[in-house]
Each structure stands twice: as structure tokens, then as C-alpha cells.
Amino acid sequence: MLHLSRLTSLALTIALVIGAPLAFAAQPAPAVAPAGTAATSKAPLPLEELRTFAEVMDRIKAAYVEPVDDKTLLENAIKGMLSNLDPHSAYLGPEDFTELQESTSGEFGGLGIEVGAEDGFIKVVSPIDDTPASKAGIQAGDFIVKINGQPTRGQTMTEAVDKMRGKIGQKITLTLVRDGGTPFDVTLARAVIQVKSVKAQLLETGYAYIRITQFQVKTGEEVSKALAKLRKDNGKKLNGIILDLRNNPGGVLQAAVEVVDHFITKGLIVYTKGRIANSELRFSATGKDESEAVPMVVLINGGSASASEIVAGALQDQKRAVVMGTTSFGKGSVQTVLPLNNDRALKITTALYFTPNGRSIQAQGIVPDIEVRKAKITNEADGDYFKEADLQGHLGNGNGGADKPTGSGSKAKAMPQDDDYQLAQALSLLKGLSITSGR
């Protein structure tokens, strides 16, 4: 698998990034398109606009209330150029570029929140499992309106994330608004975020559950190991698999392709289209399906973005899985990281990706085959009904086996589906699919 582990060489080629905002992960890609293409052909310099730029810069230096050096003005101008293109293009200073490298390896410092921009505010795309953010109860869709009492409106994502990152153990207070309600504060401590991208277990005998929290360079390998362990723990072929991509903000493109490859035998997985030749990529299955073609359900929600949408869209188009949940985030663009001098880089949107059937997910998302919204489960006690086996002198069962009078059932071990309505519905559907397929 092609990947960059912590991007050890700074003599980088272009890297494709498809994660949700500030969930950056990179992989090598071909060199820049040759001169003469539409993207690189030279056009006359806009002299009038450049004169205006120089005049504005000169006026700021001369008249602004405090002295401003050339470096600050020029870096702010670059940031402005990129921030007005789209929400995902950005200028990466040395610290931001380092954060990109760290997120590729799955370990970084911070709160564990994937964020995006909406209507001038910073919005939580999803909290990462087992991080300060998720433990504090921060939810996908929350708006971060203040950081340590300072309003975030008008800030770029990079500026907001810079404020949320800091010394390990240091506390920070976020002011959140949820579902248009009253603002409330959440105080949490920064920590080293070590993200385990794949979790797996048997929900019941024969029914496997795999959750991917985000797509890192080793996620495909981790899914392969999880499938092998689940088969071993089950002792025989599985009856069905639930792949949980809820609140997964995305990550490495190659990892998403590898995950899909574990569940299909042939066909297109995803392709990208852009203005330069290097943005035209196609990824297809290699025929190494490790799931043994058992029935499958994929869970998504509004926090499922980018690489998650590639996986869900591919499995949906290939008729390999039933997609269940709510409509996904809708990030269908590819970012290219262009390293600059002095450990800086540009991250610009260069392509859109498409599902096997040619669907662009951009700003629309993946629509589930079966919509199931999040809900609370209230378990009602099953009354101890008087049964035949309680009657004195009842007949025995000719087929053998012990009688089952009232209260003979053992208390079941608590499982994830017990208080997760969407997961419980997915498991019920999976059982039905397994029965009707004769497994």
C-alpha cells in the first residue's frame, strides 16, 4: 500500500487529502501536470490588480494603528486567497503542516474534534471516539461559538483549531450551541489523541460488528485483521456483518479503497475528476474479498464524511450492502497538498470523487437505502407470564430438552445494540437478510 507514515521525507510529491476539515491525511500522488495544460498555461499578469494589492499593502504599513511587517501581511494575503476558494482549501504554516503529518499516523495532540465551517461559525463534524471531546459529550452538529470566551464567528477553521490545540493537560472551555438551543459551556483538558481506527466484536453468534472511526494509513490492514479474528471467534462462517461509519470524518483515500476491496470481488470502487491530468484516478477491486460475501449493512449519519462516503457509496452502488441511517455529510472533493519552502504547504481542492455509478456526493451526501434516525431505546420488563411448564403434571416435550418454566431464562450480557437504536435496527435487518439468503 502506498502511504506516508508521518511523512518522514519532506521532499514530498503531491498528496491527496479527502478527510473532513482538519482531519487531514495524505498519500503520495503523481507529480504536477506538465506545462501547457489548462491548469498551468501562463496568462498575462493582472497588472492593475497587482498595483492595487501593492498600494493596499503600502497603505496598511503606513497608516495602520500598529506596525505590521511584510511577512505578516503577505502570509495573511495568502490565507485570504485560499480561504475564499472553498471551506477545504488552506495555507498550511509549519505547525499546520506538522499536524497534517501527525494525523496521517493516527496520533496528535488536541481535543479529538473534527470541525468544519458553516455560515461563519465553526461546526463539529464529529467527535473522535475515546477522546476528551467524545467523553465530554460533544456531538456532531454542535456549533462552537466561543473558545475560552472568545467568539469564533469570522475565524477560519485553521485559526479556531490553533486555539483548541495546545499544551497537553491544559484545560480549555468551549461554548457550544446544540439544535439552536441556549449556549452552554464544556470544559475539557487537551490530550494526546491516539486514534484506534477499527473496533470489532460479535454482537451475537454469527453477527459481526466493525466500527471504523476514521481512515488512517493502516485502516485497511486493521479491517483485514478484524475480519480474520471475527471468523475465528465465531468458529465458523459469519452470518452477516455490520460496518459502522457513523461520525467517521474521513481520512486517507487509499485506506477507503482497501476497506471496500475487503468486501467485493470485482468492479469499480471510486474515481476522481479534475482539471489536471493527475486528478483523473480510478480504483477497482482486486478480487480479494475477505468477507465471504455474507449479508452486510452499512450504518451512516450526518457525521459520516468523505472517505466514509466513498465506502458507503461504493458498497451501495455495487449492491453489496444495504445502507442504513441518515444522509451523510456530503464532502465529495479531493484536496491536494503542495509542499512549499520552509516547511509550509498549500492545500487546495483539485478534484471531485464519484461513486461507481457516477454519482457526485458533493453537498448532497449518500442517501441511505433505509432511513433510521437516532432514537432512545426504553426497555420494558417482560412480565413473568405463567407458562405451561409451570403447571403441575404437564406433559414433557417429545423432542427432548429441559422444561422452561417462568424465570428460567438467564440475564443477557449488555451489548452495544441494547441502547443504540440504529444499531439494533441494523442487526434486525441483517438477521432477516441472513434467513432469506439461507445462511
Side-chain angles (χ1 to χ4, degrees), residues 166-177:
K167 186 177 180 181
I168 303 303
Q170 191 175 55
K171 290 190 176 180
I172 180 172
T173 299
L174 303 181
T175 303
L176 307 174
V177 171

Side-chain angles (χ1 to χ4, degrees), residues 166-400:
K167 186 177 180 181
I168 303 303
Q170 191 175 55
K171 290 190 176 180
I172 180 172
T173 299
L174 303 181
T175 303
L176 307 174
V177 171
R178 180 173 299 161
D179 298 328
T182 303
F184 62 95
D185 290 342
V186 175
T187 299
L188 55 171
R190 297 180 178 95
V192 173
I193 308 300
Q194 294 179 314
V195 181
K196 184 178 180 182
S197 67
V198 177
K199 300 177 181 180
Q201 69 179 96
L202 289 174
L203 298 177
E204 294 182 8
T205 301
Y207 297 97
Y209 173 71
I210 299 175
R211 170 160 174 75
I212 303 177
T213 57
Q214 69 181 70
F215 290 88
Q216 302 168 3
V217 290
K218 293 185 178 180
T219 298
E221 179 184 336
E222 289 179 21
V223 168
S224 177
K225 291 179 180 178
L227 284 167
K229 186 177 186 303
L230 288 165
R231 287 193 298 269
K232 181 179 178 181
D233 291 345
N234 195 53
K236 58 182 179 179
K237 185 175 180 178
L238 295 168
N239 294 330
I241 298 169
I242 295 173
L243 180 63
D244 189 352
L245 301 179
R246 291 173 297 176
N247 295 327
N248 181 320
V252 181
L253 170 62
Q254 185 66 27
V257 171
E258 289 185 359
V259 168
V260 176
D261 202 19
H262 291 319
F263 297 105
I264 63 175
T265 56
K266 61 182 180 179
L268 186 62
I269 294 173
V270 66
Y271 67 95
T272 63
K273 293 173 65 176
R275 293 176 59 204
I276 59 176
N278 302 318
S279 62
E280 305 283 335
L281 301 173
R282 295 178 69 87
F283 298 89
S284 298
T286 62
K288 57 177 183 180
D289 177 12
E290 298 180 15
S291 66
E292 300 180 296
V294 299
M296 187 173 178
V297 175
V298 177
L299 281 173
I300 61 171
N301 65 4
S304 306
S306 203
S308 299
E309 296 170 293
I310 286 178
V311 174
L315 295 174
Q316 187 180 53
D317 281 4
Q318 295 289 0
K319 306 297 183 184
R320 174 63 186 89
V322 176
V323 178
M324 177 181 282
T326 55
T327 302
S328 62
F329 183 75
K331 181 181 180 294
S333 60
V334 179
Q335 283 66 51
T336 299
V337 177
L338 303 170
L340 304 172
N341 296 326
N342 302 321
D343 298 333
R344 291 166 170 78
L346 295 181
K347 182 173 69 75
I348 59 175
T349 300
T350 55
L352 296 176
Y353 66 75
F354 296 82
T355 70
N357 287 350
R359 292 183 293 162
S360 171
I361 299 162
Q362 179 61 24
Q364 293 187 358
I366 295 291
V367 178
D369 299 307
I370 301 175
E371 183 180 61
V372 177
R373 295 190 172 276
K374 187 176 179 180
K376 291 183 179 180
I377 294 179
T378 302
N379 293 315
E380 295 185 3
D382 188 11
D384 288 336
Y385 294 103
F386 199 70
K387 299 180 180 179
E388 172 74 12
D390 295 316
L391 298 175
Q392 185 175 3
H394 66 271
L395 298 175
N397 187 295
N399 296 323

Side-chain angles (χ1 to χ4, degrees), residues 66-83:
E66 294 178 352
V68 186
D69 58 67
D70 291 341
K71 179 182 177 182
T72 299
L73 287 174
L74 290 171
E75 287 206 344
N76 286 339
I78 294 170
K79 291 177 182 178
M81 274 193 289
L82 290 156
S83 65

